[in-house]
Amino acid sequence: MTAGRRIRVASVTWDDYWGRCGPLAREIAQLKAAWTALIAGNYAGSLRRDFVRAYFLLLRTCLDHHACGQNVLSVLRKVVGFETIRVSGDCGGSAAAIVSARHPVYLLSKLARPHAPENPKYLPLICPCGNLPGVDALDWHYRRISLMRTDGIQLFVYPPAKVCNRPLSHALIGQLFTCLTPRSDPWIRERSQSLFVGAFAPLVARPASRRLHLLDMACGSAKVTMTLCRKAFAAHRKSFDLTLVDVVRGSRSIANAFYRNPRIFGNVVFRRESLFEWVDKNAGKSQVRFDVALLPRACNLFSRFSIEQMSCREANALIGQDTMCGPLDSQVLRPAKLIEDNSLDRIQHGIGRFTFKNGWVFRQFSSSDYFKAIHVVMGGRLSAGEDTVYVPLRAFDDDVLVLPSGRSLIAQLLTMANQLVIEDADLLPYHLERHFKQFALGGLSVTDLTERTKRRGAAVYLVEKNRV
């Protein structure tokens, strides 16, 4: 991606990618035949089975060779990185991507649930071929981009798991989104409606003033916030002065919304800087006051990602949380065999989440070999237990609630705002309880609005000072 927002594409041939494969040549040839048929057949659903089966057969064979001490690590890297795309920009940011119709691990979800909507959570972590070993090699699910004239095929884009590399990556992904599609993020409408009904509308209806001051932290394109304001104007005749803060450059759509809706927006100020530094610098200033502050999915941008191991016994204990799941056994961990036996109903590859090790794991036990391979590629050691299951874990990082000065982010935001609304995919009530105890925030109260907002995959909290 160039500074002028032009996309340059580089590709390699099959033979250049795989090179000499030695003892795995037969399995790779089978994968090539299925891959070629899938592409030539315009990604027809009937062609997915052979492709996914060939991939997981190759993956299991490569892992078995590695376990026996054979030097196949370079091939395993290519198997893990197969059908992943590296994205880099002149801005210095980097990311990774996959095409939804072509990645074999993602397509495993289509065999299990052919009619499920496209969602990058079905492939939460990827590791592009050639990356250095270690946690820096991981990229995590973030955004989907609908591709024009492709009959529903989408590009899933993944920023790096290493936190310090994420801001530039998010800027690059925003540029890529603008270049590839004129459409808005497909989840904006759903998020805006649920947040308005369950959280925003009751808050803006309280004050007698017709003009409210609103702060949006890590605003991104600010389309969710702009939509909330439009809905509030239509329902309660409220107008807004907006202060928007984000580390990436402001979207042109912000200015367009401001000029096209003069009755809704009295003033819009955009600050391009880290939300943590901005809060540290402005907290406590008498001239910086807001009626409501929004922290929409900002903290989960800094969540931690890893590959974790668990026994089949532990996995079955998790499955017990969901009555819709069948029990886990060794056959569930072998998707190639399930496909061969036409036992697609036994594939466990969903986006339901289970609590594990102070974080979340997705119900993707049939992809254990894939996450096991990522674990190996990143330099991890294999467990001696044959029943070990490898799963992707995402966990909230408590440090994100602490400002560079060492003060509480929540406490300082409430020196500027009367109410704080937090929407987050990973923040749980006990995280807030632990943070409140650490900083002795006994004068604040929390209301869990998740049920009221009917948010799926995210929690919503209202934090405010206790009323005397």
Side-chain angles (χ1 to χ4, degrees):
M1 174 75 69
T2 68
R5 296 191 176 182
R6 293 176 178 270
I7 299 175
R8 293 192 297 258
V9 179
S11 61
V12 296
T13 66
W14 179 278
D15 291 338
D16 286 340
Y17 180 82
W18 289 103
R20 295 183 179 181
C21 303
L24 296 167
R26 181 171 65 89
E27 288 80 4
I28 291 175
Q30 291 175 347
L31 178 64
K32 181 181 181 182
W35 176 77
T36 303
L38 181 73
I39 296 172
N42 199 28
Y43 310 106
S46 59
L47 300 172
R48 295 168 179 164
R49 291 176 58 134
D50 288 345
F51 177 53
V52 175
R53 177 183 174 275
Y55 176 82
F56 278 97
L57 193 62
L58 168 62
L59 182 58
R60 171 57 70 112
T61 305
C62 194
L63 285 168
D64 288 345
H65 281 57
H66 175 77
C68 292
Q70 297 188 36
N71 185 18
V72 293
L73 189 57
S74 62
V75 180
L76 188 61
R77 289 181 189 276
K78 294 175 183 178
V79 177
V80 167
F82 181 61
E83 280 295 341
T84 60
I85 304 166
R86 291 201 206 99
V87 183
S88 59
D90 290 348
C91 66
S94 65
I98 70 158
V99 177
S100 63
R102 295 176 60 128
H103 197 285
V105 182
Y106 179 76
L107 289 178
L108 183 63
S109 69
K110 292 299 181 183
L111 297 185
R113 293 169 180 77
H115 305 296
E118 304 286 353
N119 194 322
K121 291 179 181 177
Y122 285 111
L123 186 61
L125 295 174
I126 62 175
C127 185
C129 178
N131 275 356
L132 296 175
V135 70
D136 296 356
L138 278 178
D139 296 273
W140 61 282
H141 68 95
Y142 175 60
R143 200 168 187 181
R144 56 179 179 165
I145 303 174
S146 297
L147 301 178
M148 303 294 289
R149 297 183 294 276
T150 60
D151 194 26
I153 295 175
Q154 298 188 5
L155 186 75
F156 297 157
V157 192
Y158 296 70
K162 190 174 183 180
V163 173
C164 65
N165 292 337
R166 293 185 196 177
L168 285 176
S169 181
H170 291 150
L172 172 64
I173 291 169
Q175 293 175 7
L176 187 66
F177 193 99
T178 302
C179 286
L180 291 178
T181 179
R183 303 173 185 173
S184 298
D185 188 309
W187 284 319
I188 284 178
R189 181 178 298 177
E190 178 187 339
R191 283 181 63 199
S192 302
Q193 178 63 21
S194 61
L195 284 172
F196 180 76
V197 172
F200 196 70
L203 289 182
V204 298
R206 285 183 192 175
S209 173
R210 290 291 184 184
R211 174 71 63 85
L212 300 180
H213 299 270
L214 186 63
L215 171 66
D216 185 2
M217 309 299 298
C219 63
S221 67
K223 288 183 178 179
V224 170
T225 300
M226 295 286 191
T227 302
L228 291 176
C229 293
R230 291 191 189 97
K231 289 178 176 293
F233 179 78
H236 302 289
R237 312 306 295 176
K238 302 284 187 174
S239 62
F240 297 88
D241 290 332
L242 294 184
T243 296
L244 309 172
V245 181
D246 204 297
V247 73
V248 301
R249 181 176 287 110
S251 168
R252 184 179 299 174
S253 63
I254 296 174
N256 291 340
F258 171 68
Y259 287 113
R260 291 173 182 172
N261 300 277
R263 292 192 299 167
I264 301 175
F265 303 109
N267 190 31
V268 176
V269 177
F270 182 85
R271 302 297 184 192
R272 188 184 180 189
E273 58 184 300
S274 159
L275 73 91
F276 307 104
E277 295 175 0
W278 187 88
V279 173
D280 241 350
K281 183 171 59 179
N282 291 283
K285 291 183 178 179
S286 58
Q287 68 271 30
V288 183
R289 291 294 306 167
F290 304 96
D291 295 286
V292 180
L294 301 177
L295 202 59
R297 288 186 176 261
C299 294
N300 60 227
L301 293 179
F302 300 89
S303 292
R304 294 177 281 109
F305 298 85
S306 61
I307 306 295
E308 296 293 330
Q309 304 173 38
M310 66 173 71
S311 66
C312 277
R313 181 177 56 80
E314 288 178 302
N316 275 311
L318 293 180
I319 289 173
Q321 301 174 21
D322 187 344
T323 57
M324 300 298 291
C325 295
L328 181 67
D329 57 33
S330 60
Q331 292 300 311
V332 173
L333 305 182
R334 294 176 174 266
K337 187 70 168 63
L338 294 178
I339 295 169
E340 183 179 329
D341 294 342
N342 200 31
S343 299
L344 302 185
D345 60 321
R346 297 205 63 207
I347 294 174
Q348 293 201 19
H349 190 96
I351 55 176
R353 304 197 305 180
F354 300 119
T355 304
F356 182 70
K357 288 188 176 180
N358 296 324
W360 302 98
V361 294
F362 290 110
R363 183 168 49 80
Q364 297 176 359
F365 303 121
S366 292
S367 297
S368 175
D369 277 354
Y370 174 71
F371 297 116
K372 178 180 181 178
I374 291 180
H375 177 73
V376 172
V377 166
M378 293 194 307
R381 294 183 178 181
L382 293 180
S383 170
E386 293 184 2
D387 70 338
T388 302
V389 184
Y390 291 79
V391 293
L393 177 81
R394 62 175 294 163
F396 185 79
D397 188 348
D398 292 275
D399 290 341
V400 78
L401 296 179
V402 182
L403 294 170
S405 64
R407 298 182 294 176
S408 163
L409 170 64
I410 292 175
Q412 298 313 309
L413 278 172
L414 286 171
T415 67
M416 297 186 280
N418 298 327
Q419 285 96 21
L420 169 63
V421 177
I422 304 175
E423 178 197 19
D424 200 86
D426 301 312
L427 180 65
L428 296 172
Y430 77 83
H431 292 123
L432 288 172
E433 292 171 8
R434 189 162 57 198
H435 182 77
F436 280 29
K437 184 176 181 180
Q438 177 185 355
F439 288 92
L441 304 181
L444 304 181
S445 64
V446 179
T447 306
D448 191 337
L449 302 177
T450 306
E451 290 296 325
R452 191 186 303 175
T453 57
K454 299 179 181 179
R455 295 295 296 126
R456 293 180 297 173
V460 180
Y461 305 99
L462 170 65
V463 187
E464 54 190 338
K465 294 179 180 178
N466 291 328
R467 298 177 185 177
V468 180

